[in-house]
Amino acid sequence: MTIEQVQRWVRPNIAALKPYSTARDEYKGSIGIYLDANENPFENGYNRYPSTTLKGQVRTAIAAKKGIASERLFLGNGSDEAIDLLFRIFCRPGVDNVISIAPTYGMYSVCAAINDVEYREVMLDEDFSLPVDKLLAAADAQSKLLFICSPNNPTANAFPREQILSLVRQFPGIVVVDEAYIDFSSEPSMVELIDEYPNLIVLQTLSKAYGLAGLRMGLAMAHERIISIFEQVKYPYNIGADTLALALRLLETDITPQVQTLIAERERVAAAFRAVPCITKVYPSDGNFLLVKTERPRELYEYLIARELIVRDRSRTPGCEGTLRITIGTPEENERLIAEVARYK
Ligand code: PMP
């Protein structure tokens, strides 16, 4: 597949778009009297729109960390922004469709509904493995995107890279691999393959392993021509000045020790849960959370809430019947959780 083929899937109105150009897109110098953006001139630290230079620095820093050219990186207001942009760039409302595994992250179907795009779900196999052939069989000429969340939320497992790659090779559209939890995974990222496969878009986020959920910054990584379309469709100044400044500073922190602790804690909590009678199954996890099966999920959920332990009830999600999703906390928080679950009858 060539990038020219991929570009043909861009909605005609988007391909023809004359994007809005911000004052700061036009003048990138740093000194002078700024009378170009209708800002309030009195300094309070926030009276100016976010600096494009600073955004460029953040982009360069993150691209370097990810081992890609900065032209191949889009910074979004969370990866949720990138998900929505994918629909707006590629999917004609009422005409095109997208395919996704199920169960999976809820925003793909919500964005599909918002954008009036048909959402075709293909259930994972019983053991949560990837139904490669069924996903391919669900596609037709109007299938623009295939969402593969790996490690998958809420099932917690990562799919083997070879299987995702076989989808990238065979799917007649764009394969979006959402790697929000990749830093906790035993499977490697697909990012290095964006050079080779123009129909591969990889999403990541600073909200999980980087511990910056409050900043709202997500990444889309793909061929530079796709990224330049993201840049044209996004809102002007989509990332706030504080987020940019803090991201640049906080990105210097080495996340490895925390990630290692969370992975070790995940395995410790999983082992403890396996020894508790009320939990009938602990699914293997490549994320910073566990999916567990229990006979009375709602009851256990309410029991934990009453003890100020808030988890996610996934028992009404088809494919996840009887389950709760539990994020790994600090060692002390996990200790509390294990103790309360052990006391539950
Ligand atoms: N993808 C997945 C799989 C997620 O679980 C989440 C958040 N729960 C997101 C994307 C969105 O992350 P953010 O917008 O914070 O980057």
Side-chain angles (χ1 to χ4, degrees):
M1 191 165 308
T2 62
I3 183 62
E4 286 74 23
Q5 275 174 285
V6 176
Q7 281 178 299
R8 259 178 254 134
W9 297 327
V10 173
R11 284 167 64 193
N13 58 311
I14 300 294
L17 192 71
K18 195 172 171 318
Y20 178 73
S21 167
T22 68
R24 294 298 130 76
D25 287 333
E26 286 170 17
Y27 178 71
K28 291 208 168 71
S30 59
I31 43 165
I33 296 174
Y34 286 97
L35 305 175
D36 58 344
N38 297 350
E39 297 150 333
N40 181 325
F42 300 108
E43 276 302 331
N44 64 8
Y46 293 98
N47 58 313
R48 299 291 174 190
Y49 282 110
S51 145
T52 43
T53 313
L54 181 56
K55 188 169 187 187
Q57 286 171 333
V58 177
R59 199 178 178 194
T60 306
I62 298 180
K65 257 188 193 292
K66 301 293 166 192
I68 59 168
S70 58
E71 296 72 36
R72 300 191 153 198
L73 172 65
F74 167 77
L75 298 180
N77 200 306
S79 43
D80 285 335
E81 181 186 7
I83 293 167
D84 185 53
L85 284 171
L86 282 163
F87 282 91
R88 291 160 64 205
I89 292 169
F90 291 106
C91 302
R92 291 168 296 175
V95 178
D96 291 326
N97 66 73
V98 305
I99 297 170
S100 181
I101 55 172
T104 194
Y105 179 47
M107 277 306 283
Y108 314 140
S109 67
V110 171
C111 283
I114 290 169
N115 289 285
D116 190 19
V117 170
E118 183 194 344
Y119 186 75
R120 296 185 179 173
E121 290 183 308
V122 176
M123 289 299 282
L124 293 174
D125 292 332
E126 192 77 27
D127 59 354
F128 294 152
S129 58
L130 201 59
V132 173
D133 294 337
K134 285 186 206 152
L135 286 163
L136 291 172
D140 60 26
Q142 276 70 50
S143 302
K144 293 291 154 62
L145 307 172
L146 166 61
F147 285 95
I148 304 291
C149 182
S150 182
N152 187 34
N153 177 6
T155 60
N157 57 318
F159 304 110
R161 177 196 174 97
E162 270 312 308
Q163 288 181 10
I164 301 178
L165 197 51
S166 83
L167 284 169
V168 176
R169 289 204 184 105
Q170 297 177 76
F171 186 71
I174 287 168
V175 178
V176 182
V177 182
D178 185 341
E179 296 187 339
Y181 300 98
I182 195 68
D183 300 290
F184 305 104
S185 178
S186 50
E187 288 289 331
S189 167
M190 309 281 289
V191 161
E192 69 197 47
L193 298 173
I194 58 172
D195 282 351
E196 210 173 320
Y197 298 97
N199 67 324
L200 170 64
I201 299 182
V202 176
L203 306 181
Q204 290 186 9
T205 179
L206 300 191
S207 299
K208 312 293 174 182
Y210 284 85
L212 301 175
L215 287 191
R216 307 306 297 129
M217 194 179 290
L219 327 177
M221 294 168 280
H223 191 284
E224 58 269 26
R225 290 206 218 158
I226 302 300
I227 295 302
S228 86
I229 305 170
F230 271 79
E231 294 293 336
Q232 292 172 19
V233 179
K234 70 161 180 62
Y235 292 147
Y237 312 111
N238 61 330
I239 310 215
D242 264 357
T243 294
L244 291 171
L246 288 167
L248 197 59
R249 184 156 67 74
L250 295 167
L251 272 167
E252 283 167 15
T253 317
D254 180 14
I255 60 163
T256 322
Q258 279 190 2
V259 168
Q260 278 171 354
T261 301
L262 290 171
I263 292 174
E265 282 294 295
R266 176 185 78 200
E267 296 314 313
R268 184 175 78 89
V269 179
F273 281 171
R274 285 193 185 102
V276 168
C278 74
I279 292 180
T280 52
K281 184 162 183 144
V282 182
Y283 291 88
S285 174
D286 275 283
N288 63 337
F289 57 92
L290 291 171
L291 188 74
V292 303
K293 200 164 203 160
T294 175
E295 257 150 41
R296 297 182 306 277
R298 196 68 204 172
E299 199 182 291
L300 179 55
Y301 172 82
E302 306 278 2
Y303 166 91
L304 290 172
I305 294 264
R307 283 152 189 82
E308 294 171 340
L309 286 157
I310 297 98
V311 303
R312 197 96 198 252
D313 180 4
R314 296 278 80 170
S315 61
R316 277 166 300 220
T317 303
C320 285
E321 291 81 3
T323 65
L324 299 179
R325 195 196 69 189
I326 305 178
T327 307
I328 300 301
T330 63
E332 299 73 33
E333 290 170 340
N334 302 332
E335 211 43 64
R336 266 280 313 282
L337 172 76
I338 292 168
E340 296 293 2
V341 171
R343 271 198 284 275
Y344 173 77
K345 292 278 173 283

